[in-house]
Amino acid sequence: MTLEKPSTEEDLRKSLETFVVDNTDLERLESLVNQFNIFEAVGAVRQELRHSDFLAYLLTPQQNHGLRDVLVRKLLQRVVSIPEGLQLPVTAIDLDTWNLEQLEVSREWQNIDILLKDEANDLIVAIENKIGTTEHSDQLARYWQVLQTNFPGKRILGIYLTPDGEKPSYPHFLPIDYGQIAGLIEGLAESRASSLGPDVRVAMLHYAQMLRRHIVSESEIAELCRRIYHKHKQALDLIFDHRPDQQATLCEFLETLIAASPDLIADFSSKQYVRFSPKTWEPPRLPLGQGWTRSGRLLLFEFQNYPDSLRLKLIIGPGPDAVRKKLFQFASDNQPPFKPQAKSLNRQYNEVFARTFLSAKSYADATDEELEIKIREEWEQFKESDLPLILKLVATV
């Protein structure tokens, strides 16, 4: 057995150079992902509801897209032509001769993603759409029972739409994948270009493009990513290890805010915990403690910087019992601004003040810049209201 020789700094540098210089696969990938796409811009890539909404729009013959019943007809013909040896209530020939322009399309009827109902031909079609999840709790079997109960004597067809044509758990549902959806939409956007409005055609092409970029498992982007990673694994692993993350970015921003405040002193911190103290609390005003940070400060403000929340707390750390008891009792007697978390003094740490800067909701679809604006607003309010009052009260201890 031979041991792999550790990579030197020179080896790693060469790996990075090879990755960025004359990398045609990387250039092609960048050209694909840099193309503007309206569905990516509005964050609809992984939202099943938005996919179902747009598909329901295109499948409705009465809508203003100009497709009439062509897409719904071609989709149903594609579905019923796939299985072999199954007895289906409708054939591709039936669909070719039927007029489907009065077909009705409903969203979330009895929790079914898309329901197609054509009274003229006694046709009922249920489409269950899955993007980032899989079926659960016998969904398809339950939906089929609902359809049988509500539409007795009708021709009922079930469709199970997934990124890769996953086999449905219930035999009455037929599989179709998003690659076929993309192909149908692209084909109609081209063949009916003269009769479609330019905005509708662009929307259709953008949707198909988005599917091929992100949803279809064997997309060009997926193949490029696999090929690039296989060829440049060392460089990509190195980049991944040193990638910036949101916690680190916000940590740096918090440290900048503290450093810009001349009346505050930064204490020992990490990505998750950013600490500081007012200069007026330096010894001998407050004695030193032990067993917390290397500074030995007994009373510290601490930002708790988690992936889904950011809170500022004032904490009494380990130290002389007499001083800790006095601080805790004083905080208990002055609510607000203080609000001790516990009713009695703990042995090591006691939270006596807390202010939420970012909640879990704040992070939803927010950029780092937007989060920093929110943090700065909260910071200025803290410095104008809470901090002066806390300083005034602690000065009397």
Side-chain angles (χ1 to χ4, degrees), residues 10-20 232 234-235:
E10 179 65 18
D11 293 333
L12 296 175
R13 188 182 63 80
K14 287 182 178 179
S15 296
L16 289 172
E17 287 180 350
T18 303
F19 176 65
V20 299
H232 302 280
Q234 186 178 47

Side-chain angles (χ1 to χ4, degrees), residues 13 53 66 80 87-88 151 181 227-228 236 244 259 261 299 365 376 385:
R13 188 182 63 80
D53 286 341
V80 300
Q87 188 68 33
L88 298 177
F151 305 106
I181 297 293
R227 197 158 66 220
I228 290 170
L236 287 168
S261 303
L299 188 63
D365 300 322
R376 187 181 291 279
S385 57

Side-chain angles (χ1 to χ4, degrees), residues 23 25-35 224:
N23 189 338
D25 284 341
L26 181 61
E27 291 170 1
R28 173 58 180 163
L29 180 62
E30 289 175 339
S31 71
L32 288 173
V33 300
N34 285 335
Q35 295 170 5
L224 282 169

Side-chain angles (χ1 to χ4, degrees), residues 199-365:
D199 49 352
V200 172
R201 182 172 179 271
V202 168
M204 291 171 64
L205 291 174
H206 274 225
Y207 184 68
Q209 179 192 62
M210 181 268 291
L211 293 180
R212 296 202 182 281
R213 285 186 185 181
H214 302 282
I215 306 300
V216 178
S217 59
E218 293 307 316
S219 66
E220 182 182 1
I221 285 181
E223 174 58 29
L224 282 169
C225 288
R226 285 192 289 268
R227 197 158 66 220
I228 290 170
Y229 184 77
H230 179 75
K231 186 176 180 180
H232 302 280
K233 181 179 183 301
Q234 186 178 47
L236 287 168
D237 287 345
L238 184 64
I239 292 170
F240 185 82
D241 287 341
H242 292 83
R243 74 194 188 285
D245 65 89
Q246 195 170 68
Q247 271 183 286
T249 300
L250 296 185
C251 171
E252 292 177 5
F253 182 67
L254 294 171
E255 291 174 336
T256 300
L257 291 178
I258 294 166
S261 303
D263 297 331
L264 303 178
I265 302 173
D267 201 272
F268 292 95
S269 302
S270 64
K271 180 171 70 174
Q272 188 162 300
Y273 300 107
V274 180
R275 305 182 182 96
F276 65 92
S277 174
K279 288 183 178 180
T280 55
W281 293 357
E282 290 296 278
R285 180 66 193 83
L286 288 179
L288 294 178
Q290 70 275 334
W292 189 5
T293 73
R294 284 176 285 172
S295 71
R297 293 187 177 97
L298 174 65
L299 188 63
L300 282 171
F301 284 102
E302 178 180 88
F303 277 109
Q304 296 185 354
N305 180 28
Y306 297 127
D308 59 354
S309 68
L310 175 64
R311 301 193 76 201
L312 176 62
K313 298 183 177 182
L314 179 59
I315 297 175
I316 303 172
D321 286 341
V323 179
R324 296 182 75 248
K325 288 178 181 178
K326 189 174 182 180
L327 287 170
F328 182 78
Q329 187 60 52
F330 186 79
S332 300
D333 294 340
N334 290 273
Q335 302 185 52
F338 297 106
K339 188 176 181 180
Q341 189 179 46
K343 293 183 178 180
S344 59
L345 186 66
N346 297 322
R347 293 185 61 185
Q348 285 194 306
Y349 302 101
N350 277 86
E351 173 191 320
V352 294
F353 167 85
R355 181 187 181 107
T356 299
F357 275 55
L358 298 174
S359 65
K361 188 182 294 186
S362 306
Y363 292 80
D365 300 322

